[in-house]
């Protein structure tokens, strides 16, 4: 019975995640999630007290999925600079629908969600912030391999995150699917500068 319940909960999250990501959160009602998933309303409310609870579950699910995917992409390269640059190759694969784990590219789910729930006190907004912090920490773990000074490491990491976010937005809003590789070239130039300045 527990396995069946868990499978229905997973089905609800997977269905809602696909719909929210493709259409937008406000555009998708609970009834549509139920219709597409084929699961009864009573079962949904057994697992989720409200639509907001379902949204938070989707954000948590996507966060775990994305971080696992990105970690695998970065770990496939040597630690440090090569892994940092591999970030942009991973993004290029995502933008061009070559990463099955993430599904068809429709921008960043967390950027999209935070735009719909922009109040600072919103738990949904906070979940979006937490995801970005998780991604930043993963990137910084590789920057730390070649930037021993903490201030410099934070500076480089912040700049890489700005390039990453810019690439995602450009790929989505302007449909420029080369944005990740364009940003990779800028990242390579940026990474060369601290080496000369700090002697790393």
């Amino acid at each position: 019975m527990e396995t069946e319940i868990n499978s229905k909960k997973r089905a609800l999250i997977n269905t809602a995640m696909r719909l929210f990501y493709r259409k937008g959160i406000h555009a998708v009602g609970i009834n549509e999630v139920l219709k597409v998933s084929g699961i009864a309303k009573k079962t949904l409310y057994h697992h989720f007290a409200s639509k907001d609870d379902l949204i938070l579950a989707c954000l948590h699910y996507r966060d775990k999925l994305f971080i696992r995917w990105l970690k695998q992409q970065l770990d496939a390269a040597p630690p440090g600079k090569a892994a940092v640059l591999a970030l942009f190759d991973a993004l290029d694969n995502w933008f061009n629908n070559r990463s099955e784990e993430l599904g068809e590219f429709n921008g960043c789910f967390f950027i999209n969600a935070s735009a719909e729930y922009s109040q600072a006190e919103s738990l949904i907004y906070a979940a979006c912030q937490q995801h970005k912090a998780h991604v930043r920490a993963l990137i910084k773990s590789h920057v730390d391999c070649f930037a021993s000074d903490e201030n410099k490491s934070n500076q480089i990491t912040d700049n890489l995150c700005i390039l990453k976010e810019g690439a995602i937005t450009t790929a989505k809003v302007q449909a420029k699917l080369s944005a990740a590789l364009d940003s990779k070239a800028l990242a390579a130039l940026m990474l060369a500068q601290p080496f000369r300045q700090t002697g790393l």
Side-chain angles (χ1 to χ4, degrees), residues 23 38 47 104 126 129 179 196:
K23 297 184 175 183
H47 294 294
E104 185 176 353
Q129 289 181 310
R196 290 194 293 270

Side-chain angles (χ1 to χ4, degrees), residues 10-88:
R10 286 195 301 272
L12 285 166
I13 293 171
N14 287 334
T15 300
M17 175 67 229
R18 289 195 303 272
L19 292 171
F20 292 156
Y21 184 49
R22 186 170 72 246
K23 297 184 175 183
I25 295 172
H26 288 316
V28 176
I30 288 296
N31 287 337
E32 183 173 0
V33 175
L34 295 174
K35 181 180 179 181
V36 174
S37 67
I39 294 174
K41 182 176 288 188
K42 182 179 179 180
T43 301
L44 184 147
Y45 284 112
H46 172 73
H47 294 294
F48 306 104
S50 65
K51 183 181 177 181
D52 280 3
D53 283 348
L54 178 58
I55 296 165
L56 287 168
C58 290
L59 289 166
H60 179 67
Y61 165 80
R62 182 70 176 187
D63 174 63
K64 290 177 64 177
L65 176 69
F66 190 91
I67 294 299
R68 182 172 64 246
W69 167 79
L70 185 58
K71 188 175 187 302
Q72 290 173 346
Q73 302 299 307
L74 301 190
D75 287 351
K81 181 181 176 182
V84 167
L85 294 177
L87 163 69
F88 298 96

